[in-house]
Amino acid sequence: MSGGVRRRGARTGWLFTAPALLVVAGVTVFPVVYSIVVSFSRVRLTYDGMRVEQWTLANYTTMLTSPAWFDALLFTVGYTLATVAVELVLGTAVAVLLDRLEFGRGWLLALLLIPWSMITVVSAQLWGYLYNATYGAVTWLLDGLLGEPPVILGTPAPAITAMAVADIWKTTPFVAVIVLAGLVRIPQERYEAAEMDGAGAWTAFRHIVVPALRPVLAVAVLFRVLQAFGIFDLPFVLTQGGPGTATQSLAMLGYKSLFQDLDIGMGAAIASATGLLVLLCCLLFLRAFRTQVDEGGAA
């Protein structure tokens, strides 16, 4: 194929994809850029909308010296690490179990996907009923075990734990499905060879399953970190960020600055800083994962 034909094909491709690229730019790139610009501005609300009065670093200075920012950052990072780790372990265990099943895998997989298919607001409302201090089933159960009804969503540590349980219940099926997709691609001959060499179940899992699942696990972790770091709807429905600010994530802090305090510049600064943190975490994770893969291939 000559160079002229390739260039004409490329121009035709760009022509057909231009409308979709413009839509993507309009709904994703423009809001991000606009948020960054506003975060460096002093914004005043007027009857006609909002007015950018001057360029300033005051929003970021105030944010970085605010205890609320560091509390929300600490909660978000800790919550992300804890929930993603538990979901990775549970999801892998469930996927291995489903992979070993010979009958009923489809039905169990369909049941497993029910929590994941629920809208987060709906599942959060469901768990809110279960945690209710008056008629909640979980409260009733703990009352029978402990001898007194606990205030689950009104105490910091139980509220964080309860929210993490609700999140793990919903998103573990997502990890399990991704890991199961990786498990079914492992050739059966590898297991048979390991069995002939006298390798036990744990040895086969560590030396056959885990290396083969590295790309799949990387995808699962990456998606879950992105989702968990930006958590908003679950604490918004369950706790409103309380008690106090115990379950206030970065996304909730930005929401309150924007829509409750009407501090547009501060809200944009929190959103921009959160996006930058997520981007850096993803880049570091991908680089570490690529290094592990290269070392494994070299070995």
Side-chain angles (χ1 to χ4, degrees), residues 45-51:
L45 295 178
T46 64
Y47 289 106
D48 299 329
M50 67 180 192
R51 179 182 301 170

Side-chain angles (χ1 to χ4, degrees), residues 190-200:
R190 295 188 183 182
Y191 296 108
E192 296 174 355
E195 186 176 356
M196 292 179 62
D197 291 338

Side-chain angles (χ1 to χ4, degrees), residues 115 118 121-143 149-154 158 162-163 165-167 169-170 234 237-238:
M118 281 188 182
V121 172
V122 175
S123 64
Q125 193 66 53
L126 171 64
W127 281 97
Y129 291 139
L130 295 176
Y131 293 142
N132 187 275
T134 303
Y135 53 79
V138 175
T139 302
W140 172 80
L141 179 62
L142 293 178
D143 183 17
V151 183
I152 298 175
L153 299 180
M163 196 172 74
V165 169
D167 196 4
W169 173 82
K170 175 176 170 56
L234 190 59
V237 174
L238 279 179

Side-chain angles (χ1 to χ4, degrees), residues 77-253:
V77 172
Y79 179 87
T80 299
L81 293 176
T83 54
V84 171
V86 173
E87 290 160 5
L88 192 62
V89 173
L90 291 180
T92 302
V94 171
V96 171
L97 177 62
L98 290 174
D99 186 54
R100 298 295 178 86
L101 291 179
E102 297 182 0
F103 303 101
R105 180 194 297 178
W107 288 100
L108 289 177
L109 189 59
L111 291 175
L112 188 68
L113 288 175
I114 291 177
W116 173 250
S117 63
M118 281 188 182
I119 300 173
T120 306
V121 172
V122 175
S123 64
Q125 193 66 53
L126 171 64
W127 281 97
Y129 291 139
L130 295 176
Y131 293 142
N132 187 275
T134 303
Y135 53 79
V138 175
T139 302
W140 172 80
L141 179 62
L142 293 178
D143 183 17
L145 294 175
L146 302 176
E148 58 179 352
V151 183
I152 298 175
L153 299 180
T155 311
I160 295 173
T161 304
M163 196 172 74
V165 169
D167 196 4
I168 292 168
W169 173 82
K170 175 176 170 56
T171 52
T172 295
F174 169 77
V175 178
V177 170
I178 291 182
V179 175
L180 180 61
L183 285 173
V184 298
R185 297 182 59 185
I186 300 177
Q188 191 65 28
E189 291 79 7
R190 295 188 183 182
Y191 296 108
E192 296 174 355
E195 186 176 356
M196 292 179 62
D197 291 338
W202 173 248
T203 302
F205 178 80
R206 189 176 60 180
H207 293 286
I208 296 177
V209 176
V210 173
L213 288 181
R214 277 181 179 176
V216 174
L217 294 175
V219 172
V221 170
L222 189 61
F223 273 90
R224 282 302 304 133
V225 167
L226 289 172
Q227 293 172 337
F229 208 90
I231 187 171
F232 171 80
D233 36 13
L234 190 59
F236 183 81
V237 174
L238 279 179
T239 63
Q240 286 289 313
T245 59
T247 59
Q248 180 171 261
S249 64
L250 290 174
M252 283 205 68
L253 181 64

Side-chain angles (χ1 to χ4, degrees), residues 277-299:
L277 288 174
V278 172
L279 178 61
L280 292 176
C281 289
C282 291
L283 291 176
L284 290 175
F285 172 77
L286 289 175
R287 183 170 183 176
F289 169 73
R290 187 181 299 112
T291 301
Q292 288 185 354
V293 171
D294 293 341
E295 291 177 352

